Amino acid sequence: MIDFGAIGQGAVVFPLGGPLGGPTDEDWMDVALGLAARGLGRVWPNPSVGCVLVSADGRVVGRGWTQPGGRPHAEREALDRAGPLARGATAHVTLEPCNHHGKTPPCAEALINAGVSRVVVALSDPDKRVSGRGLARLKEAGIQVRVGVREGEAKALNLGFLLHRIKGRPLVTLKVATSLDGRIATATGHSQWITGPAAREQGHRLRATHDAIAVGIGTALADDPTLTCRLPGLEDRSPVRVVFDSRARLPLDGALIRSADQVPLWIVTGPETSVDRGAALEERGVLVLSVAGDGAGRPRVEAALSALAERGITRLLVEGGGDLAGAFLAARLVDRLVWFRAPMVIGGDGKGAIAAFGVDRLADSAQFSARARFDAGVDLVERFDASDPLFAVDLSLGISLSETE
């Protein structure tokens, strides 16, 4: 069992065989899931799908994954690679093939026309344009269909897409990098670097697999960050940069705005932002999203997530600072928590990672379940998932505790 919700992209590992010597549907679906993980952060608002075509004698004749921008779809990619060898093959697909005409013809129709004999699907598609229709069309054409293979892993991988379609918001991953005692800086504000190079590399891999990255205005003013992905070979994987800035105070000469013509920059503001200030930002290529505010005039987290989802964002990485992290946790809108811990202790006068968010009793705290833990150089990386029972029931998550690279 592979957990494709862990940090980074899934490795494509070809199966060695099942108990009777030949690879099983589960083995081939693991390969398809690994392929699907390649598209995370690059295909929004579409899901990231993988497809493997296997001939009757057990040979891979085609493989594909959703391409940047969401098209071509995984099935089309695999069929194009297979050509006439697709006839009689089994297609292992991580999400139900679409059956509606959009910018491209339906994938269910493409599989039928290619003459595949069997389709194995991990997960049905909750999109109301698909939702069972693709599976029904395949069956009507006389193709054998099996559904639910590695369903839990497929849900973990495409949780952002599922939340987008079911709840109208993106997946939210909160990333925190601290000392052992939960500090992100000393009392003087010195913070570079708490974690080492290996941990920071993992942080950039997180950026590469999310559609957007968010910080609060405090972090933007203090650090003047670029919020890009700077791993060699992944420079084109930088997500949309999002700044929560209630009064649009982001400096016009800062690094974020200077690079807005290279990497998209969106600013989420509250209702008190002046028209002139918003216009000045838009003139520099910034998208200004004005949303409903809370009692203090700050953007409401729920409203901000809805606005991001309306523009197609399915996976949001929240990186800082403490006030923004506290707001998301208070709203119970953190789905995954990735905590980087450096082997140092700063002390109580250091700056805490998460601002107060009104927890008076332990029962009111934000609850998570441990999912993965591994070393990154000298630092420890842990991943937790929200353990809200309503959240778990809604999506029937079945996530493995293992880690994948």
Side-chain angles (χ1 to χ4, degrees):
M1 301 279 282
I2 301 176
D3 175 11
F4 290 95
I7 293 175
Q9 295 172 287
V12 179
V13 180
F14 285 90
L16 298 176
L20 299 180
T24 64
D25 285 339
E26 288 74 13
D27 294 326
W28 289 121
M29 192 60 75
D30 285 342
V31 177
L33 287 163
L35 293 170
R38 295 182 175 187
L40 293 176
R42 309 191 77 187
V43 302
W44 58 280
N46 286 1
S48 188
V49 180
C51 177
V52 179
L53 295 170
V54 182
S55 66
D57 59 357
R59 292 180 298 119
V60 174
V61 296
R63 63 189 185 120
W65 56 95
T66 310
Q67 295 299 293
R71 295 177 181 83
H73 291 181
E75 298 94 327
R76 184 72 270 167
E77 284 283 296
L79 290 170
D80 287 347
R81 288 186 170 96
L85 296 178
R87 186 163 298 278
T90 295
H92 300 82
V93 191
T94 59
L95 188 69
E96 176 183 0
C98 62
N99 191 46
H100 62 281
H101 285 270
K103 294 183 179 179
T104 56
C107 289
E109 180 180 296
L111 290 167
I112 293 168
N113 292 339
V116 302
S117 63
R118 184 168 175 262
V119 176
V120 180
V121 176
L123 182 66
S124 59
D125 191 335
D127 191 313
K128 61 183 181 181
R129 297 171 300 174
V130 184
S131 194
R133 294 181 177 87
L135 299 175
R137 180 71 184 92
L138 293 170
K139 293 176 182 177
E140 289 170 1
I143 294 174
Q144 297 180 36
V145 176
R146 182 185 177 193
V147 184
V149 175
R150 295 287 195 248
E151 181 182 38
E153 289 84 350
K155 286 178 176 177
L157 186 145
N158 262 318
L159 184 53
F161 173 75
L162 297 173
L163 286 170
H164 187 276
R165 291 298 187 269
I166 295 171
K167 295 192 174 183
R169 69 168 180 86
L171 166 81
V172 175
T173 301
L174 173 61
K175 177 240 177 180
V176 182
T178 72
S179 60
L180 293 175
D181 55 340
R183 305 295 164 178
I184 61 173
T186 66
T188 62
H190 186 225
S191 63
Q192 295 185 348
W193 296 99
I194 286 180
T195 54
R200 296 199 298 276
E201 179 179 317
Q202 289 289 343
H204 279 270
R205 292 181 67 190
L206 271 177
R207 291 182 180 183
T209 58
H210 284 74
D211 308 340
I213 176 174
V215 297
I217 184 59
T219 295
L221 292 174
D223 298 345
D224 193 26
T226 58
L227 301 179
T228 54
C229 178
R230 296 186 293 278
L231 288 180
L234 294 180
E235 294 89 350
D236 63 340
R237 299 290 295 268
S238 293
V240 173
R241 287 93 50 84
V242 179
V243 179
F244 280 69
D245 185 1
S246 57
R247 295 189 297 277
R249 293 184 291 146
L250 191 67
L252 299 181
D253 59 352
L256 284 166
I257 291 182
R258 289 200 311 270
S259 58
D261 60 338
Q262 303 164 39
V263 182
L265 175 63
W266 301 355
I267 293 182
V268 179
T269 68
E272 298 178 5
T273 301
S274 72
V275 174
D276 290 344
R277 184 63 177 174
L281 291 168
E282 290 173 345
E283 287 176 2
R284 289 162 173 80
V286 178
L287 175 63
V288 179
L289 303 176
S290 181
V291 302
D294 60 14
R298 295 167 300 199
R300 288 183 58 244
V301 170
E302 299 89 343
L305 291 181
S306 294
L308 293 175
E310 286 174 3
R311 285 155 182 81
I313 298 298
T314 66
R315 295 168 60 86
L316 176 68
L317 176 65
V318 177
E319 280 207 3
D323 289 339
L324 189 63
F328 272 87
L329 288 166
R332 297 300 187 268
L333 286 171
V334 174
D335 305 301
R336 289 178 179 157
L337 173 61
V338 181
W339 202 297
F340 294 76
R341 299 183 194 275
M344 66 173 71
V345 176
I346 292 176
D349 58 344
K351 185 176 181 181
I354 298 170
F357 58 96
V359 175
D360 295 322
R361 301 180 305 155
L362 292 178
D364 299 329
S365 63
Q367 301 287 323
F368 294 88
S369 298
R371 294 303 187 196
R373 179 181 292 108
F374 61 95
D375 294 328
V378 299
D379 302 312
L380 177 66
V381 185
E382 299 169 291
R383 201 201 90 196
F384 304 86
D385 287 352
S387 53
D388 180 343
L390 292 177
F391 174 84
V393 169
D394 279 352
L395 294 175
S396 304
L397 291 177
I399 302 175
S400 156
L401 296 182
S402 61
E403 177 225 337
T404 190
E405 288 291 341

